[in-house]
Amino acid sequence: MFNQKSFKEIHITGTLYLVPTPIGNLEDMTYRSVRILQEVSLIASEDTRNTQKLLNHFEIHTPQRSLHEHNYQERIPQLLEELKKGLSIAQVSDAGMPSISDPGHELVMACIKERIPVVSLPGATAGITALIASGLSPQPFLFYGFLGRKKKEQETVLNDLKEQTATLIFYESPYRISRTLKNMLTILGNRQAVLCRELTKIHEEYLRGTIKDLLSHSENHSIKGECCLLIEGRTGPQEEKNVNTDSLKEQVEQLIAKGQKTNEAIKAVAVKNSLKKQEVYRQFHDLD
């Protein structure tokens, strides 16, 4: 419970504003976001060079200070001191809403602990923008963000998510999209999926199909730009009948245990899962 004294203490400090920035098209910047960036005393930016381009475009002259994953532990106490002096600060990421892929969350939690007001401004966000145009069910949805880079990390997360009936939303680098789709095909099965890239930009593109379709496309075409990947949720009992939830290696081992030779087992598992024999061979022998 707040008493009158603590209520007054809160309002003599500055305010932390969480300001969304465009995910591509500069026209997505809101009037309010521009005004707040002009009025605050300081902008905490994920990348000051990237944010400076935005500030130059809108003729904003507010000074910046970096706040990113490599310096947030030392930077947050400094920002708190500024806020306690009564200075207001805006926090921005390189694109979209703060706190999704930057240390904004840690700053928010620190402000809440110190009873410093936190105000979030609405604005552009890639996940929801992609979801409502994807054609997949818009609700319920589960936003995950970036998967781990290592195969084992991805497998652990995807196995945890495979029973979800909500549409799954991921962010992914174009350089890792093929590998991620392979892991999804193995663990989630061949579900409906949508790959969105270059959202709100000139070359915006939505690729719709199955996970296998997207994997084939990514293996035969160069994917450019940051990607938003949406995967259909688990659709029901029928999916369980058609998708073997065992890993490819486990499936091969099961056939070997029944008397098949290794190469025969690998070929059978490849056919059953509609995959190339080399892919099953690679995963069976842990060649990643």
Side-chain angles (χ1 to χ4, degrees), residues 143-258:
F143 174 80
Y144 187 84
F146 285 96
L147 287 165
R149 297 188 178 189
K150 296 182 179 179
K151 182 172 181 286
K152 293 296 183 183
E153 293 175 347
Q154 288 196 357
E155 288 177 342
T156 298
V157 171
L158 292 173
N159 273 303
D160 289 339
L161 295 176
K162 68 183 178 182
E163 297 301 320
Q164 283 282 344
T165 57
T167 298
L168 305 174
I169 304 176
F170 302 94
Y171 290 161
E172 188 52 280
S173 161
Y175 307 108
R176 297 192 298 269
I177 194 69
S178 292
R179 186 175 60 185
T180 296
L181 286 166
K182 286 179 183 178
N183 290 338
M184 288 179 168
L185 182 61
T186 300
I187 296 172
L188 303 179
N190 195 27
R191 304 182 185 186
Q192 290 296 309
V194 180
L195 176 62
C196 315
R197 66 177 198 87
E198 296 289 84
L199 285 172
T200 77
K201 299 179 183 178
I202 295 175
H203 301 293
E204 176 178 287
E205 183 178 37
Y206 287 79
L207 299 171
R208 300 176 176 87
T210 63
I211 294 178
K212 190 184 300 183
D213 293 332
L214 299 184
L215 175 57
S216 176
H217 181 86
S218 69
E219 290 178 332
N220 293 286
H221 299 82
S222 176
I223 302 295
K224 297 181 180 179
E226 291 301 315
C227 301
C228 186
L229 182 59
L230 299 97
I231 307 295
E232 177 185 37
R234 177 178 170 275
T235 56
Q238 185 62 37
E239 184 179 40
E240 291 182 352
K241 296 177 182 178
N242 296 330
V243 178
N244 191 325
T245 57
D246 293 327
S247 69
L248 296 178
K249 183 173 183 178
E250 289 171 335
Q251 293 178 48
V252 173
E253 290 173 341
Q254 289 168 11
L255 293 179
I256 293 174
K258 293 179 181 179

Side-chain angles (χ1 to χ4, degrees), residues 38 50 61 69 164 262 284:
Q38 291 172 333
N50 185 71
H61 305 292
E69 62 179 339
Q164 283 282 344
T262 301
F284 177 71

Side-chain angles (χ1 to χ4, degrees), residues 12-277:
I12 63 172
T13 70
T15 297
L16 173 66
Y17 292 95
L18 307 176
V19 180
T21 55
I23 57 177
N25 194 321
L26 290 176
E27 292 180 355
D28 292 332
M29 193 72 171
T30 68
Y31 290 113
R32 187 184 178 200
S33 292
V34 172
R35 177 177 62 80
I36 291 296
L37 292 182
Q38 291 172 333
E39 293 178 353
V40 294
S41 300
L42 181 69
I43 300 172
S45 307
E46 182 180 7
D47 186 329
T48 56
R49 295 165 299 179
N50 185 71
T51 301
Q52 190 60 52
K53 298 175 185 177
L54 179 71
L55 301 184
N56 291 343
H57 180 82
F58 289 103
E59 299 182 350
I60 299 170
H61 305 292
T62 307
Q64 296 186 74
R65 196 172 298 174
S66 64
L67 174 68
H68 49 70
E69 62 179 339
H70 302 297
N71 74 351
Y72 74 92
Q73 290 183 329
E74 64 184 63
R75 183 70 80 210
I76 287 177
Q78 298 170 4
L79 296 175
L80 290 178
E81 286 303 311
E82 300 291 345
L83 288 161
K84 289 177 182 178
K85 292 177 183 177
L87 302 180
S88 289
I89 296 175
Q91 192 249 324
V92 301
S93 67
D94 285 346
M97 297 294 290
S99 296
I100 302 300
S101 302
D102 62 49
H105 174 67
E106 285 80 2
L107 177 58
V108 169
M109 294 301 294
C111 286
I112 292 173
K113 183 177 180 180
E114 296 293 331
R115 296 183 174 181
I116 295 170
V118 178
V119 175
S120 177
L121 277 61
T125 177
I128 303 301
T129 300
L131 175 64
I132 61 174
S134 68
L136 299 179
S137 177
Q139 57 179 330
F141 67 86
L142 188 154
F143 174 80
Y144 187 84
F146 285 96
L147 287 165
R149 297 188 178 189
K150 296 182 179 179
K151 182 172 181 286
K152 293 296 183 183
E153 293 175 347
Q154 288 196 357
E155 288 177 342
T156 298
V157 171
L158 292 173
N159 273 303
D160 289 339
L161 295 176
K162 68 183 178 182
E163 297 301 320
Q164 283 282 344
T165 57
T167 298
L168 305 174
I169 304 176
F170 302 94
Y171 290 161
E172 188 52 280
S173 161
Y175 307 108
R176 297 192 298 269
I177 194 69
S178 292
R179 186 175 60 185
T180 296
L181 286 166
K182 286 179 183 178
N183 290 338
M184 288 179 168
L185 182 61
T186 300
I187 296 172
L188 303 179
N190 195 27
R191 304 182 185 186
Q192 290 296 309
V194 180
L195 176 62
C196 315
R197 66 177 198 87
E198 296 289 84
L199 285 172
T200 77
K201 299 179 183 178
I202 295 175
H203 301 293
E204 176 178 287
E205 183 178 37
Y206 287 79
L207 299 171
R208 300 176 176 87
T210 63
I211 294 178
K212 190 184 300 183
D213 293 332
L214 299 184
L215 175 57
S216 176
H217 181 86
S218 69
E219 290 178 332
N220 293 286
H221 299 82
S222 176
I223 302 295
K224 297 181 180 179
E226 291 301 315
C227 301
C228 186
L229 182 59
L230 299 97
I231 307 295
E232 177 185 37
R234 177 178 170 275
T235 56
Q238 185 62 37
E239 184 179 40
E240 291 182 352
K241 296 177 182 178
N242 296 330
V243 178
N244 191 325
T245 57
D246 293 327
S247 69
L248 296 178
K249 183 173 183 178
E250 289 171 335
Q251 293 178 48
V252 173
E253 290 173 341
Q254 289 168 11
L255 293 179
I256 293 174
K258 293 179 181 179
Q260 288 193 25
K261 294 182 178 180
T262 301
N263 286 339
E264 293 175 345
I266 290 174
K267 182 177 180 180
V269 170
V271 172
K272 182 177 181 180
N273 291 274
S274 301
L275 295 171
K276 294 180 181 179
K277 181 179 175 182

